[in-house]
């Protein structure tokens, strides 16, 4: 992996982890305002996407699998525990679950790199 790509991937992963753990602090540092309410959930979705982007710099298929699986789990969490249920929540959960299965099968059946 080229040096610049590695540095970018590590930076994006770190930002993604921070958005997952302390989205309000990241909002305060980046935008000058603490994130509250629905903005916290949206920031965590962005955090998942940034972590998956960092993984995709290493291996694209694994990055997409990471994103789709994490989104499935997070959306289920939002629907069951977070009380957030828009009309497209469960169709999105279903779509991400199907994509996760397909990507997982593709990853498992991929030939070993030489």
């Amino acid at each position: 992996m080229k040096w610049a790509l590695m540095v970018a991937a590590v930076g994006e992963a770190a930002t993604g982890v921070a958005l997952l753990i302390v989205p309000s602090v990241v909002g305060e540092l980046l935008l000058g305002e603490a994130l509250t309410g629905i903005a916290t959930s949206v920031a965590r979705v962005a955090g998942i996407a940034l972590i998956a982007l960092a993984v995709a710099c290493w291996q694209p298929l694994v990055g997409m699998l990471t994103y789709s699986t994490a989104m499935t789990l997070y959306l289920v969490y939002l629907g069951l525990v977070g009380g957030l249920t828009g009309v497209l929540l469960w169709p999105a959960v279903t779509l991400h679950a199907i994509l996760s299965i397909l990507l997982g099968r593709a990853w498992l059946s991929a030939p070993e790199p030489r």
Side-chain angles (χ1 to χ4, degrees):
M1 186 180 299
K2 293 184 179 184
W3 183 83
L5 182 59
M6 187 182 334
V7 169
V10 169
E12 296 303 333
T15 303
V17 169
L19 281 168
L20 282 176
I21 297 171
V22 286
S24 185
V25 172
V26 175
E28 182 76 39
L29 293 172
L30 286 176
L31 307 171
E33 289 286 330
L35 302 177
T36 59
I38 193 67
T40 301
S41 298
V42 173
R44 288 189 171 125
V45 168
I48 290 168
L50 288 175
I51 292 167
L53 175 65
V55 173
C57 288
W58 166 61
Q59 225 178 22
L61 178 60
V62 177
M64 288 305 298
L65 177 59
T66 300
Y67 175 75
S68 196
T69 303
M71 283 307 303
T72 300
L73 297 173
Y74 186 59
L75 291 175
V76 167
Y77 168 80
L78 288 177
L80 296 178
V81 179
L84 300 174
T85 55
V87 69
L88 290 178
L89 176 69
W90 297 113
V93 167
T94 303
L95 176 64
H96 279 289
I98 291 168
L99 286 172
S100 295
I101 291 166
L102 294 173
L103 289 164
R105 286 179 58 159
W107 178 60
L108 289 173
S109 67
E112 290 291 321
R114 296 176 190 213

